Amino acid sequence: MAFMRRMAGSHICSELCGSILNLRMYSSRVDWKQLRPMILKRIKNRTKDYPIKRMIPVAQEVVRAREILTEGVSILLRAVPVHSCKFCPEIHVGEMAHQMKTCHGFKRMVKDRPHQWGPGGLNNILVPVEAFHQEHMFQEEIRHDQRFDFTRVPAVLELCHQAGAELPEGLLYRRDELCTAAEANNQNPAPLLSSELRLVGQRTLEAWERLRLGVTKLLLVYPSKVCENCSEVHVGISGHKARMCGVFKFEGWRGKHKWKKAGVDDLVPQKIVWHQRPHDPPILVDSGRDYYGHAPAVVELCVQVGARASPKYNCMMKEHGLAPPVQRDQAT
């Protein structure tokens, strides 16, 4: 028995020693001078695979949908009034702006204040999101001292450009905004019939869905970054080095961005607004805030002219929800 125990013990020791000897020993001393050319060569070879040919039609469809969306919203703004608060980003789509006290001010230093409404425009519905324009996605990182050497273009068009879409001349540098804010108000109603406005609204709504679906597909292939502390977007493998983040400038990192993976809502913001249902009062008030629904600004604008929204917005819009209770002073 003792002999067998000694034999088993020696066998276990030999197995343990053999496993320890077979382990790889990693050293912290790495010669980066030899690895750098290999890394750069690998990155250079990777650029041959882009742009992906199968994604070029998707990028072209996104460009066309964006053009239809911009044109349709510009037409609808002549018929449907849009109100924009002077002190916060909130807007209201409809004839009469709501009276809910939801204004938090420009620097979010106050809350529960009434809004100061003014005429809204195209940029209030389609929030502009810009990014640095680069020739290709594997270009070198933009340093802080190079931030004025690169042009700022719409982030969606920059994504389509890197995906291989052929953009018309001047489209990258054109600013999508109305000439005057008065064109967005209902002081000069559009000379279109209700049936024509309904067709324009339905076409605009379909372009909105195609745009978001196409951007979602492109983001699965082409990486984009967004800052966690601000709304800065960068289309490319890694974020730029420009110190433009104004949230933590007083701290140690001196305005550097904290990048994370961007989503479709970062490149195409929905701009959620209050939705006014047929059984809601003409003016939305604070007492019915829990009963009112919400909708993206583009969807609400199209629904106002008779377009039919997708069923996926029914829960957000509370189409079949209860009406707010009638106040006694309103009933009398």
Side-chain angles (χ1 to χ4, degrees):
M1 270 316 271
F3 177 75
M4 294 296 294
R5 289 178 182 175
R6 286 197 300 270
M7 290 293 294
S10 61
H11 178 71
I12 293 174
C13 290
S14 62
E15 289 292 333
L16 290 176
C17 293
S19 61
I20 293 175
L21 292 175
N22 291 331
L23 291 177
R24 293 183 180 181
M25 303 301 293
Y26 292 94
S27 175
S28 60
R29 297 179 181 179
V30 179
D31 190 359
W32 291 105
K33 292 183 179 180
Q34 295 181 1
L35 289 178
R36 181 178 175 82
M38 299 171 57
I39 296 173
L40 294 178
K41 183 178 179 181
R42 187 173 181 180
I43 294 176
K44 186 177 180 180
N45 294 334
R46 188 182 177 186
T47 59
K48 299 178 182 179
D49 300 332
Y50 290 88
I52 300 177
K53 295 183 179 180
R54 293 184 179 180
M55 300 302 295
I56 294 179
V58 178
Q60 295 282 10
E61 178 63 23
V62 169
V63 175
R64 288 192 295 267
R66 184 178 179 274
E67 288 293 306
I68 297 174
L69 176 64
T70 305
E71 181 184 0
V73 171
S74 302
I75 296 174
L76 295 179
L77 284 175
R78 302 171 189 170
V80 180
V82 174
H83 307 273
S84 175
C85 183
K86 298 180 180 179
F87 301 108
C88 73
E90 186 167 345
I91 66 172
H92 182 79
V93 180
E95 186 69 27
M96 304 179 69
H98 67 77
Q99 295 182 357
M100 289 179 285
K101 297 179 180 180
T102 55
C103 183
H104 51 71
F106 180 71
K107 296 184 178 180
R108 290 185 175 269
M109 299 179 64
V110 297
K111 64 179 182 178
D112 299 335
R113 296 293 182 89
H115 294 279
Q116 298 292 331
W117 298 110
L122 180 62
N123 287 343
N124 299 117
I125 302 293
L126 301 177
V127 181
V129 179
E130 295 185 342
F132 286 112
H133 177 52
Q134 295 180 311
E135 294 299 329
H136 52 83
M137 64 181 298
F138 295 99
Q139 195 169 338
E140 295 183 358
E141 290 181 341
I142 301 174
R143 301 191 304 271
H144 180 69
D145 55 350
Q146 295 177 331
R147 63 189 185 277
F148 297 116
D149 299 337
F150 294 85
T151 310
R152 302 280 291 181
V153 299
V156 174
L157 295 182
E158 176 64 16
L159 180 64
C160 296
H161 167 72
Q162 294 189 11
E166 296 182 1
L167 303 179
E169 295 183 3
L171 182 61
L172 277 175
Y173 311 103
R174 190 177 65 190
R175 293 295 180 265
D176 293 323
E177 56 183 356
L178 296 178
C179 299
T180 58
E183 293 183 9
N185 207 338
N186 64 337
Q187 298 177 358
N188 298 321
L192 295 177
L193 301 176
S194 59
S195 58
E196 296 176 342
L197 285 175
R198 190 182 303 109
L199 292 177
V200 174
Q202 195 66 40
R203 183 181 61 182
T204 304
L205 197 56
E206 293 173 357
W208 166 259
E209 297 296 337
R210 292 199 308 270
L211 173 65
R212 289 181 58 85
L213 179 61
V215 171
T216 304
K217 293 180 180 179
L218 292 178
L219 289 177
L220 295 175
V221 181
Y222 296 92
S224 298
K225 304 294 180 181
V226 63
C227 181
E228 292 185 2
N229 304 321
C230 66
S231 57
E232 176 69 14
V233 172
H234 181 75
V235 181
I237 298 178
S238 60
H240 58 75
K241 299 298 182 181
R243 299 188 296 270
M244 302 187 302
C245 186
V247 179
F248 300 110
K249 268 189 176 179
F250 56 89
E251 297 197 14
W253 41 81
R254 298 169 53 196
K256 291 184 179 179
H257 294 287
K258 186 178 180 181
W259 299 108
K260 67 176 183 179
K261 185 178 180 181
V264 62
D265 289 333
D266 299 314
L267 275 71
V268 189
Q270 296 193 61
K271 190 71 174 184
I272 303 299
V273 299
W274 293 97
H275 171 60
Q276 191 165 11
R277 302 167 298 180
H279 51 275
D280 287 333
I283 301 179
L284 305 183
V285 293
D286 271 323
S287 59
R289 189 188 300 186
D290 297 334
Y291 295 87
Y292 305 140
H294 296 83
V298 175
V299 177
E300 179 66 17
L301 183 67
C302 297
V303 169
Q304 291 279 346
V305 297
R308 180 173 297 181
S310 175
K312 66 180 181 181
Y313 297 110
N314 288 344
C315 183
M316 181 190 301
M317 299 169 68
K318 298 182 180 179
E319 286 292 340
H320 305 291
L322 297 176
V326 180
Q327 301 295 330
R328 293 184 178 180
D329 53 352
Q330 295 180 359
T332 55

